[in-house]
Amino acid sequence: MLRAGECLVVRAGGKDFAVSVDDAARGAALLNSLARCGGGGGGVEHR
């Protein structure tokens, strides 16, 4: 990660995908809600 601050780490299919965002907590909540609705089984970690 080249930017300081919060980021989201999405784990799916055994791989990690990190996204730097201004409001990681809100983004994580949204993605976790979508994962529960879709049954994707992935998870989002707020760092």
Side-chain angles (χ1 to χ4, degrees), residues 1-17:
M1 191 59 53
L2 298 176
R3 176 181 161 180
E6 299 178 330
C7 72
L8 296 176
V9 178
V10 179
R11 293 193 176 101
K15 297 185 179 187
D16 291 347
F17 179 74

Side-chain angles (χ1 to χ4, degrees), residues 5-39:
E6 299 178 330
C7 72
L8 296 176
V9 178
V10 179
R11 293 193 176 101
K15 297 185 179 187
D16 291 347
F17 179 74
V19 180
S20 178
V21 295
D22 291 331
D23 189 358
R26 183 180 291 178
L30 173 63
L31 291 175
N32 279 323
S33 293
L34 291 172
R36 279 193 296 273
C37 291

